[in-house]
Amino acid sequence: MSDQLRRALDDLVQGVATEQDARTRAGGGLPVDAMTARARRGRVRHTALVSAVTACAVLGVAAGGAAVAAWERPEPAPAAPPTESTAPSPTPTPTTTPSPSATAPAVVLPTGDAALPFGACGALVDAAGDVPLDDRWTIATTLASPEAAVGGGLLVSTRVDVVLPDDWSPVGVGFGIWSAAGPELLVVRDGVVVGSGDLYGDVPAGLESYDIRASANSPAYQGWLPLVSCSDGNPLPAGDYTVVPTARVLPLGDDAAVADELAVDGAESVAARHADDWRRTVGEPLDVVVVEGEPGALPPARTRDDGVIVPEPSCGSAVVTSTAARLLEWSVLAPHVVAEGSTRDTSGSLAYLGPGRLRLAVQTVPSFWAVQDGVVVGASPAPTDAYHAVVDLDRSSPLHLRGTLDVRTCQGGGPGEEPLPPGQYTLVPSLLVSGGEVRTAEGVRELPSGFVTGEAFPFVVE
């Protein structure tokens, strides 16, 4: 991943934190417990699989590390000065598929049919909508690279936002339903839809509801979009294309009683009673170039590991860290030495390495536990509600986070107000996650709430 992409994600993370902080000051902050509950609330059956109700808050658009013309391996973390500790990038080495051969079947592209509704395979990009357009929602979408190889795909980050006035008052869409798979992405060539898909692929998703009192955003979806023809499934040929994000949304008004209806009946049943009320929002188009070259592919998925998440240690107790070969890897860049009472910038990368997709609420700033003689003697202050979000990831790209290394001395079982006194410590990077679900074609598996830990490193307060 380029430094430019890293900075873009950092800015988006900070923007979300600022937005949520404003809500917190106004009494509308989002508790982590509520996020966890919402991430698993109101599940509905879809092809005999479970699909979670929408989680709340949004991290913002995260960027992957591939210029898929030849899956660009993420650049290694910059070499740290002697006083800093770096951990390797958590991104697994991607595998590649052979370049298309001369005997590969010719791709069939639709020629365009003016009678088809918007979004259908072969429809014109300016076709009339299948449902009315509505500007009460927007879609934020970013591509890691605008270039992809024939037979490859795009790394995409996207989310749906509810448009709110400055006073955060509802506008008839306080409650609603949308796809749990996130926005659909149309691939357009010469004004005709030639490909489409979402980031869930063959993982069933179904519908889920949102509650604007908890969040004005869908989860932040990050993942891999294969570039194939919607006519025959073969790779799109080299050329210029446009990606158009779009989503269907069902507004359910602003009456809080709707929440009870959704909780009792589920999103699928409620949606069936409002079949004529769906609306569509369309995001800004993004230019894409498909070129001849070696395509990329997702790295192999790791298998299940229950040691990925550990409980938070109390002051004076020993630390239990995440196990090896885990589905989640948390790597940080942090200083080795600081002056007493000072703070320093730090950053980290959270990679999901397992199968299918992972939905979870995540702390968006790094935290640390300070250890001496095997027990916890200090910790970072607990982040406010402003620094938590819900993300929906595959294994194509790590999620990059940044914050401040600020560790306080234990007091009353937790971090107090005083900074760590001078001395030698071991710091254990930690990241709070909750409401996690691994979603695959075979089903949904819940993860416990707790902390993902990174590699411990020596730390000196002067």
Side-chain angles (χ1 to χ4, degrees), residues 144-188:
S145 170
E147 188 173 279
V150 174
L154 297 170
L155 285 176
V156 181
S157 298
T158 186
R159 72 176 189 266
V160 181
D161 299 325
V162 181
V163 178
L164 289 175
D166 292 339
D167 61 1
W168 294 85
S169 61
V171 287
V173 292
F175 299 89
I177 295 173
W178 48 34
S179 170
E184 182 183 12
L185 301 158
L186 307 178
V187 183
V188 177

Side-chain angles (χ1 to χ4, degrees), residues 136 179 314 427 444 454 462:
R136 290 179 292 178
S179 170
S314 59
L427 283 193
V444 176
E462 295 180 331

Side-chain angles (χ1 to χ4, degrees), residues 330-332 334 366-369 427-431 452-457:
W330 174 228
S331 302
V332 298
S367 60
F368 301 86
W369 301 326
L427 283 193
V428 178
S430 62
L431 194 71
V452 178
T453 61
E455 183 178 352
F457 61 91

Side-chain angles (χ1 to χ4, degrees), residues 199-200 222-223 352 355-358 392-394 437-439:
L199 299 184
Y200 260 57
Q222 180 172 306
Y352 174 60
R357 297 195 63 86
L358 173 68
D392 197 306
L393 312 171
D394 68 7
E437 291 183 338
V438 174
R439 303 177 175 187

Side-chain angles (χ1 to χ4, degrees), residues 346-372:
T346 186
S347 61
S349 297
L350 180 69
Y352 174 60
L353 308 177
R357 297 195 63 86
L358 173 68
R359 169 78 65 88
L360 81 170
V362 62
Q363 174 184 315
T364 60
V365 291
S367 60
F368 301 86
W369 301 326
V371 178
Q372 277 185 328

Side-chain angles (χ1 to χ4, degrees), residues 83 290 426 432 450 453:
T83 57
V290 177
T426 297
L432 176 64
T453 61

Side-chain angles (χ1 to χ4, degrees), residues 16 64 73 79 201 304 345-346 355 361 368 426:
V16 171
R73 286 175 171 80
R304 173 173 179 168
D345 291 339
T346 186
F368 301 86
T426 297

